[in-house]
Amino acid sequence: MKLKDNLLMRTKACIFDLDGVLVDTAKYHFLAWKRLTGMLKIKFTEKDNERLKGVSRMASLDIILEIGNVTLDDDLKEEYAGLKNKWYVDYITSMTPAEILPGSLEFIRELKGAGIKVALGSASKNTPMIISRVGMENLFDAVADGNIVSKAKPDPEVFLTAAKMLGVPPENCVVFEDAVAGIEAAHNAGMLCVGIGSDKMLKKAGIVVSGLDKMSLNKLREIEKISYHE
Ligand code: BG6
Ligand code: MG
C-alpha cells in the first residue's frame, strides 16, 4: 500500500459533535424523555435512549411514539416536543464547566495551537445555551447547529455547513461523533470520522476511542496514517 504524499497535514479542520462528545447531556435528554414517556404510558429504557443519540428532537419523538405504538396528530406532537424541551432546558440551565468531558479542552487547544480549525456540528437547537453554560462559547471557529440546518443526521448537512463556514474542503475535515447517525452523516459528507464511545456500539466508525482524553495531535496523525492510504 502506498501512502498519500500529503498525508501528515491532511487534516485542516476538526468538527466536534456536542452531546456525548464534549458534554454528557444524554442523561438530561433521557430524564426529559422519561418524564414524557411516563406521561404517555410508554415503556422507555436507557437502551431505547441510545437510538435517539444524534437524532433531532422531532425524529426522536417519532421513534418514541413508534416504540409505544402511539399515533398523535402534528399539533399534539409539537406540544409534547415542546414540553420535553422545557424539562430538558430546566436540566441544562444548571450545567457548569465541570461537565465538559475529560480531555476535550486540552485536545481542542492543541489542535488550535497547530493551526487546525475547530468547529461544532450538532443537531441540537440548545447548542448556544449549552456552550455558554459550560464556558465554551468562544472556543470554536464556527458553530453549525440545529438552529441553522434543517436536515437531521445522517444527512451530511450539518458537517458540510461547518466545513463551509470554516472554508475547508470536506476531505480535509475529521469529525468526532458518538452517535451512529452522526458517523453516517460524516461519511455522507466525505469526511473521516472518529467514533467516541465503545467499539461495539460504533463499529461503523472504523476508528473508535473511548473519549477525547485519548486523543492528541500525535494520535490524530496516527489515525491519518491508517486511514488515508490507497
Ligand atoms: C443531539 C442529541 O445532539 O441533539 C439528541 O444527541 C437530540 O439526543 C438532538 O435529540 C436535538 O437536541 P435539541 O436540544 O435540539 O432537542
Ligand atoms: Mg452526540
Side-chain angles (χ1 to χ4, degrees), residues 17-21 53-54 153 177-179:
D17 171 50
L18 177 64
D19 296 314
V21 172
K53 287 190 176 170
K153 299 171 186 176
E177 251 298 345
D178 71 315

Side-chain angles (χ1 to χ4, degrees), residues 54-73:
V55 177
S56 70
R57 197 180 306 162
M58 262 306 166
S60 298
L61 180 58
D62 284 335
I63 293 174
I64 286 172
L65 294 177
E66 189 198 297
I67 292 171
N69 207 9
V70 173
T71 314
L72 296 177
D73 65 38

